[in-house]
Amino acid sequence: MLDRLETTLRIRGGARLEGSVATHGAKNAALPIMAAALLAKGTVTLHRVPRITDVSVMWSLLEALGARMRYEGDNTLTIDASNVASYRAPYALVRKLAASFDVVGPLLGRFGRAEVPLPGGCVLGTRATDLHEQAFVALGCEVHNAHGYLIAESREGRLRGATIEFRMPSVGATKNAMLAAVLADGTTTLKNVAMEPEVVDLANFLVAMGAKILGTGTDTIVIEGVDELQGVEYEIIADRIVTGTLLFAGAVTRGDVTVRRCNPQHLQAVVDKLAECGATTMTGDDWIRVKADGITGGTDILTAPYPGFPTDLQPQVVGFLCTCPGTSVVEESIFNARFSYVNELARMGADVRVTMESNAAIVKGPKQLSGAPVEAPDIRAGAGLVVAGLAAAGETEIIGLEYIDRGYERLEELLSELGGQVQRSSGVTPLVEPAGFFETSEYPRISA
Ligand code: EPU
């Protein structure tokens, strides 16, 4: 059996990407929606769940809490949480996935108590939880940290509605506050919330289960607590970050790529930036096409909460901008340590300088990148190195493929469909986790 560092992605750069490819379901919608299934009285059936290792970790976590999980084939899974009896999440799983913290809200809604390990930091920077805690306290919980765990409890059992104004929009805190409030007694008003499509998708899922939620997609959400929520069948939205990655992959090769089964409205900021660089962009109801033979220059980027340019596409756009004429400045406003991959890009011949004072990368192009062995430090940084590798002369071998597999379902196949020369270094099945999720799939399984 291979260990995690031995499975790599090999890219032979220079092939022009052409054609069309369908994107898969959104990781960051699937994870909280799976957690939300803890609130349902009946069975939840989810379609378009991506087969990625982050989903398999959430699967294992829900199973550890007592839920019955079943994979139905073709990205459909069912969750029966009726037997869940534990409100304590095991550290061994939570440490692998910051999004595990999404179970706090549902556990509070269901049991009035939750014990979940604190995410602390990760490779992207601090993962603070003060806004989550602010919401739990406002909803009537006592909250304290003990031995690395966040322990939240409502002495009355049921949480009570409240008005909460966040100092900044947080995706995670908005999700957790919503998840905790849907079964609370009375009305909850959440102000200055995140407007990300994944937050809206979670709300739509909760509404399908019987929750009463108004205002999602705006900066204020109003929730009328209900007594119970039902099982439901639901399809996860398209992954806008995978879609954006494929668009930058097309653009970096000066190709002509159409991404199907996506929501173009979710990627307006990305489409605008590609157009600013000289690409021709077209959109339909559920597709985006980028034709990049006329790239004229780079552009400046500021990552920002939705509908701004997504931080999760920052490394991919930097990979692309390395090949564009002129100087581009890419400023990161969400995470404080998201440029660690830049040293790897430099090893490929990129001219990128990071200024710590402004948390920005100054990218000078155009550069002919050269293929090199590089290491992916996280999911999106890995995708950024893939984008760069597609334009590099010769072979790029990316170590740390297990990070890419956390968020991308068979990225090498999506790129191969477009004519990219991208291969997993081995077809051997590495670690399996959990067995059930991949049961009927021949796709290699990677540990998280
Ligand atoms: N923050 C606080 N206090 C809090 C919560 C957050 O200060 O209580 C800070 C964080 O430290 C961070 C910033 O606010 O610097 C953004 O955090 P947010 O809560 O908005 O993000 P998240 O829920 O931790 C989700 C996605 C990330 C994505 C961000 C921003 C999931 C599972 N994760 O993280 O996705 O980058 O929103 O859009 O939904 C990825 O998919 O690769 C990924 C990192």
Side-chain angles (χ1 to χ4, degrees):
M1 183 163 306
L2 294 181
D3 81 15
R4 53 168 55 189
L5 289 182
E6 283 171 325
T7 310
T8 64
L9 201 63
R10 286 214 169 115
I11 304 169
R12 182 147 290 281
R16 182 172 181 268
L17 299 194
E18 240 177 336
S20 86
V21 68
T23 200
H24 58 69
K27 165 176 90 74
N28 291 344
L31 294 172
I33 286 175
M34 288 172 73
L38 289 169
L39 292 167
K41 280 270 183 226
T43 301
V44 165
T45 302
L46 299 176
H47 301 293
R48 219 180 175 192
V49 178
R51 283 194 216 169
I52 52 177
T53 48
D54 272 9
V55 161
S56 74
V57 177
M58 182 59 85
W59 167 301
S60 299
L61 176 55
L62 297 181
E63 214 165 40
L65 292 170
R68 276 199 225 114
M69 317 287 295
R70 209 173 62 235
Y71 171 59
E72 302 274 352
D74 261 0
N75 303 91
T76 295
L77 69 86
T78 60
I79 305 173
D80 174 3
S82 40
N83 291 327
V84 169
S86 169
Y87 45 70
R88 188 174 171 87
Y91 176 67
L93 291 168
V94 174
R95 71 177 185 83
K96 297 181 180 180
L97 178 65
S100 303
F101 210 66
D102 288 347
V103 299
V104 179
L107 290 175
L108 284 175
R110 180 163 176 159
F111 297 110
R113 185 174 172 99
E115 299 180 8
V116 179
L118 290 155
C122 74
V123 67
L124 307 181
T126 325
R127 299 304 277 259
T129 54
D130 57 308
L131 301 173
H132 301 247
E133 294 177 33
Q134 176 195 353
F136 303 145
V137 169
L139 291 166
C141 297
E142 281 172 22
V143 177
H144 68 280
N145 299 344
H147 308 290
Y149 274 68
L150 176 117
I151 301 187
E153 182 173 32
S154 159
R155 291 217 184 275
E156 297 155 29
R158 191 173 182 187
L159 278 58
R160 57 179 145 71
T163 295
I164 299 153
E165 177 151 13
F166 293 114
R167 71 178 154 79
M168 57 175 266
S170 151
V171 173
T174 304
K175 288 186 297 190
N176 248 333
M178 255 189 335
L179 287 162
V182 280
L183 289 182
D185 187 15
T187 306
T188 298
T189 304
L190 305 174
K191 296 182 180 171
N192 198 20
V193 295
M195 302 188 286
E196 267 66 5
E198 296 77 18
V199 172
V200 176
D201 203 34
L202 171 63
N204 289 342
F205 171 71
L206 291 166
V207 167
M209 290 207 298
K212 294 189 177 158
I213 307 176
L214 293 174
T216 41
T218 74
D219 64 0
T220 303
I221 296 176
V222 180
I223 302 161
E224 194 68 50
V226 295
D227 291 337
E228 60 177 44
L229 296 170
Q230 307 305 325
V232 72
E233 191 164 341
Y234 192 80
E235 181 170 305
I236 309 286
I237 54 167
D239 196 310
R240 65 194 164 102
I241 306 303
V242 173
T243 304
T245 302
L246 294 167
L247 294 174
F248 286 121
V252 82
T253 67
R254 304 300 185 259
D256 182 355
V257 163
T258 301
V259 183
R260 293 179 279 111
R261 291 196 71 200
C262 64
N263 185 337
Q265 285 171 13
H266 294 167
L267 284 123
Q268 196 55 54
V270 172
V271 169
D272 289 348
K273 285 296 172 186
L274 281 165
E276 252 178 68
C277 296
T280 305
T281 57
M282 285 157 267
T283 56
D285 281 351
D286 68 348
W287 55 267
I288 304 174
R289 178 175 173 191
V290 60
K291 200 163 165 291
D293 42 11
I295 295 295
T296 47
T299 182
D300 293 338
I301 304 265
L302 172 66
T303 66
Y306 186 82
F309 191 94
T311 174
D312 290 341
L313 284 171
Q314 181 252 95
Q316 300 87 322
V317 76
V318 168
F320 162 63
L321 289 171
C322 290
T323 66
C324 298
T327 299
S328 305
V329 179
V330 179
E331 198 180 333
E332 171 60 49
S333 81
I334 308 291
F335 289 105
N336 52 13
R338 205 166 198 175
F339 284 118
S340 56
Y341 65 93
V342 158
N343 293 335
E344 297 299 86
L345 274 186
R347 296 185 48 253
M348 296 174 73
D351 184 346
V352 187
R353 192 167 56 84
V354 176
T355 64
M356 288 307 169
E357 318 80 60
S358 51
N359 202 20
I362 298 163
V363 186
K364 289 194 177 148
K367 278 282 174 191
Q368 172 58 61
L369 302 175
S370 69
V374 288
E375 183 162 2
D378 70 81
I379 308 176
R380 310 304 175 187
L385 294 171
V386 170
V387 168
L390 287 165
E395 186 177 281
T396 295
E397 183 168 26
I398 302 179
I399 294 171
L401 177 56
E402 74 275 11
Y403 285 112
I404 297 174
D405 286 333
R406 287 184 55 175
Y408 293 84
E409 179 178 328
R410 292 179 286 213
L411 182 57
E412 72 280 14
E413 287 183 20
L414 299 179
L415 293 168
S416 299
E417 271 183 59
L418 296 169
Q421 296 184 15
V422 186
Q423 276 185 329
R424 206 167 270 271
S425 68
S426 154
V428 179
T429 301
L431 299 170
V432 180
E433 184 188 29
F437 189 59
F438 294 98
E439 218 156 53
T440 58
S441 163
E442 286 170 5
Y443 179 61
R445 303 153 198 175
I446 316 292
S447 71

